[in-house]
Amino acid sequence: MLGELQDSPEVRENSTAWGELRATAVFEPSLREELARTTHTWVHDIAELLARADPLGTAPARAAAAERLTTLVEGLSVRWLSGSLPLGHARRLLRTAVDTELRREID
């Protein structure tokens, strides 16, 4: 997930494009179904990674954690790209959130 928050031209371009797509979907309902599908795939992929990190956790708990984490990445990305949040701080916040979610899975 930290790969989504890197100061490289490719990551900036990709993150900007996704942010623009999400913002456009607010006003263009025709974009929503495909966007929801790709978002679901991303959440599912992160839930699978969480399952590898904590094989004893439950599927619903991993899905909820993945939803929270992917939502956080999107918000951090918007703040970073808009100059509201330094990249290093955004990455630290994400690391803390991942650690918190993994501890929650174990508890």
Side-chain angles (χ1 to χ4, degrees):
M1 296 187 75
L2 287 169
E4 300 292 327
L5 298 170
Q6 295 183 60
D7 197 14
S8 74
E10 298 83 16
V11 171
R12 280 181 165 276
E13 182 178 327
N14 186 54
S15 188
T16 300
W18 277 105
E20 288 176 356
L21 178 60
R22 287 196 184 285
T24 301
V26 171
F27 304 101
E28 295 290 334
S30 63
L31 298 174
R32 294 177 188 170
E33 187 176 330
E34 183 60 30
L35 184 58
R37 197 174 4 264
T38 58
T39 299
H40 175 77
T41 298
W42 187 28
V43 170
H44 179 75
D45 291 347
I46 297 302
E48 286 182 352
L49 291 173
L50 291 170
R52 287 190 217 161
D54 178 23
L56 300 178
T58 67
R62 288 191 294 268
E67 191 80 47
R68 287 187 294 270
L69 290 171
T70 56
T71 300
L72 177 63
V73 168
E74 290 174 14
L76 291 172
S77 179
V78 169
R79 288 188 182 189
W80 159 55
L81 290 170
S82 68
S84 301
L85 186 68
L87 178 59
H89 186 57
R91 291 175 60 88
R92 283 188 297 278
L93 290 170
L94 180 57
R95 279 190 190 102
T96 300
V98 170
D99 289 344
T100 299
E101 291 295 349
L102 288 173
R103 278 195 304 278
R104 181 182 313 213
E105 286 280 310
I106 294 168
D107 291 342

